[in-house]
Amino acid sequence: MRFFWIFGLICCVLANGLTTIADLDRMKHDLSRFLSISRYNETEKSVARAAIKRALEAVGLASMTHTFIHEESNEIGANVIAVQKGPYFGTGNDKMMVLSANYDTLEGNQGVDDNGSGVAAVLEAARVLSTLDNLYSRQNTIVYVFFDMKHKALAGSHAFVEDVLLPLMERTNTKVIGSVIADGLLHFDPFPASQAMPPEFESFFPEAAQMLHEHSHMGDFIQVSSRSDIDDYLVKKYTRAYDRSCQMLSSDWEFHPWSLNLEMNIGNITTLDRLHPFLYSDHSSFFFHSKQKNVQIPTIYLTDTLNLRGVRQYCVQCDGLYMMTEQNMKFLALMTDSLIRLLIETSGSSALEVVDDLYSLMFNIDPN
């Protein structure tokens, strides 16, 4: 059985023409079939939810719909949740990982990058980890979440944290060792001056601003946002996974993607208003919640910066199928690969050594 899985992975790599674990063709299918249609009103969103649930079911993951009411508008929203249980699920010995992406869009926006790409990446990560479970042991639980209403005051992620995650942690003493928010993983623009940043960028992140300047303000990176101290361990783990994935891709791609780390000090309340452009996404629901004084949830936010990159600076609605260029899809494969590697390691899967050994064999790369 293990031989056939390894053989299948090799075939997948050769078919993709990329040295990544992620199946690029499968993600292209998801993006073109149900993640390139506006997901703004309930009718549109229900179609997307059904497709997400079918994709999860196809890899053996049961899903549930978590409904909630928007606190201001009284609209009913719906998150989709799938739990890949570990042997210690529901106990204090579990070290849970949460991987999430919002599936809703702005009105009239096809949402291929924002955030069809994040949804496609989470679905592909779920497929790979579920497949590995058939062959390798895994110690910790992984939760996959698809948020509704990011574009309506982050209502879906807020409801998930308050109604689902915090009660679970309190009731079972489960420890959440990491939460990763994927929000735009497709757009790669390696041309000078293609990348903009919010006005307060330089004052809050001078080192990152210097790095961006040295890279001629090109949109050839992934932004990793985190908090000082609280998220350091998760950032370190993700950076290792990302660098490893970049190393695998280096032989196939002339470009060299890098990561731009934005570490925020959110303890200073006087600067929070000015940090708003860097906080307005679903990671804020994990930063700021009803039990934040006593319960900290390590969280990182991954984004290609959405409408601050390339043509989308001038055309927010330009987020259709034409975003699926060969270059952008390679970037998405890289990002998905880094998420898979992170989950394999943090979930305690015995597949980690096998996967790295396989790539070392195929591409003569030192696994250390």
Side-chain angles (χ1 to χ4, degrees), residues 20-46:
T20 60
I21 304 171
D23 188 336
L24 189 59
D25 288 335
R26 193 177 300 268
M27 289 190 289
K28 285 180 180 178
H29 171 273
D30 291 347
L31 285 170
S32 61
R33 289 293 296 273
F34 64 91
L35 295 172
S36 55
I37 303 169
S38 178
R39 304 175 293 279
Y40 177 76
N41 60 46
E42 177 53 29
T43 300
E44 295 168 342
K45 289 190 292 186
S46 66

Side-chain angles (χ1 to χ4, degrees), residues 78-148:
N79 299 324
V80 177
I81 305 170
V83 180
Q84 193 174 359
K85 296 179 181 179
Y88 304 112
F89 178 73
T91 75
N93 293 322
D94 202 4
K95 298 177 181 178
M96 183 180 290
M97 279 294 296
V98 179
L99 178 61
S100 61
N102 73 286
Y103 68 88
D104 63 312
T105 68
L106 294 168
E107 186 174 12
N109 195 324
Q110 289 179 267
V112 171
D113 181 37
D114 183 12
N115 186 29
S117 61
V119 173
V122 175
L123 286 174
E124 178 61 9
R127 183 192 70 82
V128 172
L129 268 294
S130 295
T131 302
L132 290 174
D133 271 3
N134 294 322
L135 304 168
Y136 302 98
S137 62
R138 176 175 47 81
Q139 295 300 306
N140 302 320
T141 297
I142 307 171
V143 179
Y144 306 98
V145 193
F146 303 87
F147 297 130
D148 194 1

Side-chain angles (χ1 to χ4, degrees), residues 78-248:
N79 299 324
V80 177
I81 305 170
V83 180
Q84 193 174 359
K85 296 179 181 179
Y88 304 112
F89 178 73
T91 75
N93 293 322
D94 202 4
K95 298 177 181 178
M96 183 180 290
M97 279 294 296
V98 179
L99 178 61
S100 61
N102 73 286
Y103 68 88
D104 63 312
T105 68
L106 294 168
E107 186 174 12
N109 195 324
Q110 289 179 267
V112 171
D113 181 37
D114 183 12
N115 186 29
S117 61
V119 173
V122 175
L123 286 174
E124 178 61 9
R127 183 192 70 82
V128 172
L129 268 294
S130 295
T131 302
L132 290 174
D133 271 3
N134 294 322
L135 304 168
Y136 302 98
S137 62
R138 176 175 47 81
Q139 295 300 306
N140 302 320
T141 297
I142 307 171
V143 179
Y144 306 98
V145 193
F146 303 87
F147 297 130
D148 194 1
M149 293 192 184
K150 171 208 163 182
H151 298 287
K152 295 185 177 179
L154 316 178
S157 56
H158 174 75
F160 169 75
V161 172
E162 295 292 342
D163 300 345
V164 179
L165 191 59
L166 290 176
L168 175 66
M169 295 172 69
E170 184 174 14
R171 186 175 67 251
T172 65
N173 290 319
T174 293
K175 181 180 181 181
V176 177
I177 61 170
S179 172
V180 181
I181 316 294
D183 190 10
L185 306 182
L186 178 67
H187 198 178
F188 185 83
D189 197 334
F191 294 96
S194 63
Q195 182 67 52
M197 280 297 188
E200 297 282 2
F201 175 62
E202 288 192 25
S203 60
F204 279 115
F205 311 105
E207 291 184 9
Q210 179 61 33
M211 291 179 66
L212 185 58
H213 175 72
E214 291 172 0
H215 282 79
S216 303
H217 291 264
M218 293 189 290
D220 59 348
F221 61 88
I222 191 69
Q223 179 180 303
V224 183
S225 300
S226 64
R227 295 163 294 181
S228 305
D229 299 328
I230 299 170
D231 306 321
D232 287 353
Y233 178 77
L234 184 58
V235 171
K236 182 179 178 180
K237 287 289 186 183
Y238 177 73
T239 300
R240 183 179 184 278
Y242 179 80
D243 289 346
R244 183 72 170 145
S245 296
C246 287
Q247 184 183 21
M248 297 301 182

Side-chain angles (χ1 to χ4, degrees), residues 157-340:
S157 56
H158 174 75
F160 169 75
V161 172
E162 295 292 342
D163 300 345
V164 179
L165 191 59
L166 290 176
L168 175 66
M169 295 172 69
E170 184 174 14
R171 186 175 67 251
T172 65
N173 290 319
T174 293
K175 181 180 181 181
V176 177
I177 61 170
S179 172
V180 181
I181 316 294
D183 190 10
L185 306 182
L186 178 67
H187 198 178
F188 185 83
D189 197 334
F191 294 96
S194 63
Q195 182 67 52
M197 280 297 188
E200 297 282 2
F201 175 62
E202 288 192 25
S203 60
F204 279 115
F205 311 105
E207 291 184 9
Q210 179 61 33
M211 291 179 66
L212 185 58
H213 175 72
E214 291 172 0
H215 282 79
S216 303
H217 291 264
M218 293 189 290
D220 59 348
F221 61 88
I222 191 69
Q223 179 180 303
V224 183
S225 300
S226 64
R227 295 163 294 181
S228 305
D229 299 328
I230 299 170
D231 306 321
D232 287 353
Y233 178 77
L234 184 58
V235 171
K236 182 179 178 180
K237 287 289 186 183
Y238 177 73
T239 300
R240 183 179 184 278
Y242 179 80
D243 289 346
R244 183 72 170 145
S245 296
C246 287
Q247 184 183 21
M248 297 301 182
L249 193 64
S250 62
S251 61
D252 298 315
W253 207 10
E254 61 182 300
F255 300 111
H256 301 284
W258 55 290
S259 60
L260 181 70
N261 291 356
L262 304 186
E263 186 178 280
M264 293 176 279
N265 177 10
I266 64 171
N268 186 352
I269 195 169
T270 61
T271 62
L272 280 181
D273 283 347
R274 293 164 56 206
L275 274 172
H276 181 267
F278 307 98
L279 290 170
Y280 191 73
S281 193
D282 289 313
H283 56 304
S284 285
S285 297
F286 293 80
F287 290 0
F288 307 103
H289 52 77
S290 60
K291 299 185 184 298
Q292 67 190 59
K293 288 186 178 180
N294 301 313
V295 179
Q296 301 291 346
I297 306 171
T299 302
I300 58 174
Y301 171 65
L302 307 179
T303 183
D304 58 18
T305 74
L306 304 172
N307 61 359
L308 292 174
R309 180 168 294 179
V311 68
R312 295 202 60 215
Q313 297 177 61
Y314 318 104
C315 177
V316 177
Q317 303 293 335
C318 294
D319 193 13
L321 288 170
Y322 38 80
M323 290 290 289
M324 293 170 58
T325 64
E326 180 181 358
Q327 183 169 270
N328 282 347
M329 291 305 297
K330 282 186 176 182
F331 187 57
L332 177 58
L334 163 67
M335 292 307 306
T336 307
D337 192 77
S338 69
L339 292 174
I340 293 169

